[in-house]
Every structure is written in structure tokens, then in C-alpha cells.
Amino acid sequence: MGGIAQSYWVRIWMSSTSDPNGSEHGIVFWLGIYSLLEMFSTALYMVAWLVELSGSIRAARKYHEDLFERVVNAVPRFFDKTPIGRVISRFSRDMRTIDESIIGLIVSLGMQVVQVASVFAIISSVMPPFVVIAASMTCAYAMLAVYYLNATRELKRLDSISMSPLLSLFSELITGVESIRAFGAQNQYTKEAMNRVNVHNRPYYLMWGANRWLCTRIEFSGCIVSFSATVLIIMGLDSIDAGLAGFVLMYAMSFSDYMLWFIRNYSECEISMNSVERVNQYLVLEQEAPAHAEPHRRPPADWPRTGTVDVQDLTI
């Protein structure tokens, strides 16, 4: 929003007179207001940045502490049936996503929503017929976003799933390196490691292919928006001054970039939530009994009084 206010202030400055020094206000006035807008925008950005970082650190620390406690106190059969690579993936890849990506994506998504809505509002307020074009382009962007999200969601899921076997193999190599060397199985394990790396890289490669597919179509749709805005400006030259026309065209030409990043950030935010879901699955693990019983469950101080053993509800 600060950039829009600054651009509009420049438009007012240029429209006031062709020579700012000869206008009612001197150049110091125009530059002073512009500098104040810049400082306000910078201060707002810094506050948002500090809130984002502090919130991200608190959330990531809380998630990691809860995850660590639940895994350490899990029942033994959890470790018997769960590959070690899957556990490592929760503490490494998924926690890294929660720690580094999610809060930034949420903030960026909110900023992109404001920017896209601002561009639509700016162009529509200057040229009301643009509302019809905006509605049709919104439907087109929504169709592209749904098509892109359906593909990248599954590709990201495959990317996460293929990481666990790779980590499991590395843990096996570390613990069994003596046996592998003793039986001369180095080449076999090297080939297996390369195969698992290739399997893990396939979804990643396809995700970037889908990204390029989206970029091409968003750029084409952005050209339609820019062309439509230019035509409407030419048709309304009698009612639109040069400064306002340049102001509208500048944001019309950047509209495709705003939409591209909006769809990307929304997609990445939705996909990154898979890491939160995967960590939440481990936050409900069955736990071992506490090391110290609760006061009302503790035996009396003189226990045991007799040498008999009474077993009830035993399942083996």
C-alpha cells in the first residue's frame, strides 16, 4: 500500500504543473511528503517483519518441544513398526518447513491479496468498464489456480513420501557400514542410494515444470489485462490526464506479476500445511505410563503387606 500511495503522490505532483519549482508549493514540499510516505511504509514493513519473526520462532519452538516429548515417550511398538527415516523426516524436513516457510508464506499471501485487490480497485475506479474485464479475468485465474493446485499438491505429497526411504537408507548405511564392507556390498548400496535419489527428484522436477506452465499462462493473461487497460485509456483520453493514465498503466502492467505470486504463495502455503499435518499425526501418539504415578494412584507407604501377587486384566 505504501508503494501505491507514493506512486499516486508522484502522479499528483506531475499533474499539478509541468515545473514543480514554479508551482504553488516548492519542491521541498513534494519531496518531504514523498519521504514521509517512504518512512511510514518502511516502519510498517519493519513492524510486520518483527511480528512475523517472533511469531514464527514461538510456534516452531512449541511444535518442536511437543513433537520431541511425544516421540521420546511413545510406546515401544511405535518404533517397531515405524521406519526410522519417517521419524527423521518429521524432525528435519517437516520442522524446517514449519520453522522457515509457513509464516512467511502466510504474510506474503496476505500482501499479494491486498496488491491484487488494489490494482483492480485502481483500474476500475478510473475506468468503470474494466469491471467486466476484471470479472472475466478473475474466473480465468481461478481456473488456472485450481488446475495448478491439483497437480502440485499431489507432486508435493510424492516428494515428501519419497524422502523417508532415502533417509532410512542413509541410517542403515551409517549403522551397518562394517557389514556392508565385510560382504563387499558397496556397489549394491551405492546403486540403491542413487535409485532412491532419482525417485525423490522426479516429483521436484515435475513441480518446477508445473511452475513454468503456470508462469506462461499468467503472463499471457496479464498481457490481456494490460492491453484492455490501454484500449480503455485511449478511448477515454478526454477525461483522463497523462499522469493518471501513466499511473493506471504502471499497475496494469505489473498485474500479471501480482497474480503469479498470489497463486504461487497460495499453492506453497497449502502444500506446506502438509508438514503441519504430518507433525500433528505424531502429537497424538500413544504414550508410555508416566515414570511417577499420580498421588491418588500411589500404593500406601507400607506396601506390600503380603507376599502374594494379584494380576488383573493382563493381556499378552
Side-chain angles (χ1 to χ4, degrees):
M1 294 299 292
I4 295 176
Q6 289 172 283
S7 300
Y8 192 75
W9 181 252
V10 172
R11 177 257 166 182
I12 297 175
W13 182 3
M14 293 297 101
S15 299
S16 62
T17 177
S18 58
D19 183 10
N21 292 314
S23 62
E24 181 181 354
H25 301 286
I27 192 172
V28 176
F29 168 79
W30 299 103
L31 289 178
I33 299 297
Y34 185 87
S35 300
L36 289 176
L37 291 174
E38 176 64 27
M39 288 188 290
F40 174 77
S41 177
T42 303
L44 189 63
Y45 173 79
M46 292 297 296
V47 171
W49 184 66
L50 291 175
V51 172
E52 172 189 342
L53 286 183
S54 60
S56 176
I57 292 173
R58 289 197 305 271
R61 182 183 293 117
K62 181 67 166 58
Y63 254 105
H64 186 271
E65 291 176 353
D66 292 347
L67 177 63
F68 182 78
E69 180 180 359
R70 300 298 293 187
V71 172
V72 168
N73 296 316
V75 295
R77 63 173 171 270
F78 164 76
F79 299 98
D80 294 336
K81 66 181 182 180
T82 304
I84 188 63
R86 194 173 299 172
V87 179
I88 295 175
S89 179
R90 297 299 192 278
F91 280 96
S92 58
R93 186 187 186 93
D94 293 329
M95 281 306 307
R96 183 186 67 182
T97 301
I98 295 174
D99 190 19
E100 298 178 357
S101 303
I102 290 182
I103 187 66
L105 290 172
I106 293 175
V107 173
S108 298
L109 180 62
M111 293 176 61
Q112 295 301 326
V113 170
V114 173
Q115 288 176 337
V116 171
S118 300
V119 171
F120 271 120
I122 289 170
I123 301 177
S124 300
S125 61
V126 177
M127 299 169 294
F130 185 78
V131 174
V132 179
I133 300 173
S136 60
M137 293 306 301
T138 300
C139 295
Y141 283 123
M143 294 174 61
L144 288 175
V146 170
Y147 197 83
Y148 173 74
L149 287 173
N150 290 336
T152 54
R153 186 186 301 113
E154 298 304 321
L155 289 173
K156 184 64 176 180
R157 192 181 304 275
L158 291 175
D159 181 68
S160 299
I161 293 174
S162 61
M163 173 60 76
S164 296
L166 185 60
L167 294 176
S168 297
L169 181 65
F170 286 150
S171 64
E172 294 172 5
L173 291 173
I174 294 173
T175 57
V177 63
E178 295 86 358
S179 300
I180 294 173
R181 290 176 178 174
F183 289 94
Q186 295 95 323
N187 292 334
Q188 177 183 348
Y189 270 83
T190 300
K191 291 180 181 178
E192 180 64 22
M194 295 302 297
N195 289 334
R196 295 193 184 188
V197 169
N198 289 335
V199 171
H200 175 65
N201 284 337
R202 286 170 188 165
Y204 184 78
Y205 173 78
L206 293 175
M207 284 175 59
W208 276 105
N211 195 300
R212 294 299 91 195
W213 177 91
L214 175 68
C215 182
T216 302
R217 282 149 183 81
I218 290 294
E219 290 290 345
F220 178 77
S221 302
C223 291
I224 296 177
V225 174
S226 301
F227 176 77
S228 303
T230 304
V231 171
L232 292 175
I233 288 175
I234 294 175
M235 294 174 60
L237 285 178
D238 297 335
S239 58
I240 301 177
D241 59 81
L244 187 59
F247 177 72
V248 170
L249 275 179
M250 180 182 66
Y251 282 98
M253 294 177 66
S254 61
F255 177 74
S256 60
D257 293 334
Y258 293 152
M259 283 303 304
L260 176 63
W261 285 107
F262 168 72
I263 296 176
R264 279 183 180 174
N265 287 332
Y266 180 83
S267 173
E268 288 294 328
C269 187
E270 180 177 340
I271 292 172
S272 297
M273 287 300 174
N274 288 337
S275 296
V276 178
E277 179 184 1
R278 286 156 60 88
V279 171
N280 284 338
Q281 292 173 355
Y282 278 36
L283 296 182
V284 294
L285 293 176
E286 184 181 356
Q287 300 289 281
E288 281 283 355
H292 301 283
E294 299 176 2
H296 67 280
R297 295 180 178 272
R298 294 177 182 176
D302 58 346
W303 181 88
R305 298 175 181 175
T306 62
T308 59
V309 177
D310 183 16
V311 180
Q312 299 179 358
D313 299 329
L314 174 63
T315 301
I316 298 178

